[in-house]
Amino acid sequence: MTSILTGDIINSRKTTNIDWLKSLKEILVNFGESPKYWQIYRGDSFQVEVKKPEEAFFVALKIKSALKSIANIDVRIGIGIGKKEYNADKITEANGEAFINSVLLLITI
């Protein structure tokens, strides 16, 4: 059992301030190496595996508070908990129940 956070930065294209990227990377680097355990893709989206599902909500709050402290930036995060059925070299290529659930929640929030 694991948890996957899938996030999308809100208003990233409306600002020239990219301090949010540095703040996000400073948090994600704590979960292992990129791109195996976390990855930023499409410029303003990310996925990270939090191996202890009970810590997923805390990590989401940590990311949200760090990014909200930057003017005009916010983040939408879906948390998926479940099995990781396919482990790939890049987290964005891995698959399983946790990945599917995180994306479904991201879309509905």
Side-chain angles (χ1 to χ4, degrees), residues 17 23 62-74:
N17 182 349
S23 294
K62 187 173 183 176
I63 292 169
K64 185 143 182 105
S65 66
L67 296 182
K68 287 281 291 182
S69 70
I70 299 167
N72 300 320
I73 295 292
D74 200 352

Side-chain angles (χ1 to χ4, degrees), residues 9-80:
I9 309 302
I10 300 169
N11 294 330
S12 65
R13 294 184 184 108
K14 293 182 181 177
T15 182
T16 58
N17 182 349
I18 59 166
D19 289 342
W20 63 267
L21 185 57
K22 181 181 176 193
S23 294
L24 179 59
K25 285 182 178 181
E26 286 174 354
I27 295 169
L28 298 181
V29 74
N30 294 301
F31 296 95
E33 293 188 25
S34 177
K36 178 79 173 167
Y37 298 104
W38 64 271
Q39 190 170 7
I40 298 171
Y41 56 97
R42 289 192 331 241
D44 66 352
S45 297
F46 65 90
Q47 272 193 327
V48 60
E49 180 176 8
V50 179
K51 293 184 181 188
K52 294 181 181 179
E54 63 272 15
E55 295 178 4
F57 187 69
F58 173 74
V59 173
L61 286 176
K62 187 173 183 176
I63 292 169
K64 185 143 182 105
S65 66
L67 296 182
K68 287 281 291 182
S69 70
I70 299 167
N72 300 320
I73 295 292
D74 200 352
V75 62
R76 188 177 309 123
I77 302 173
I79 301 172

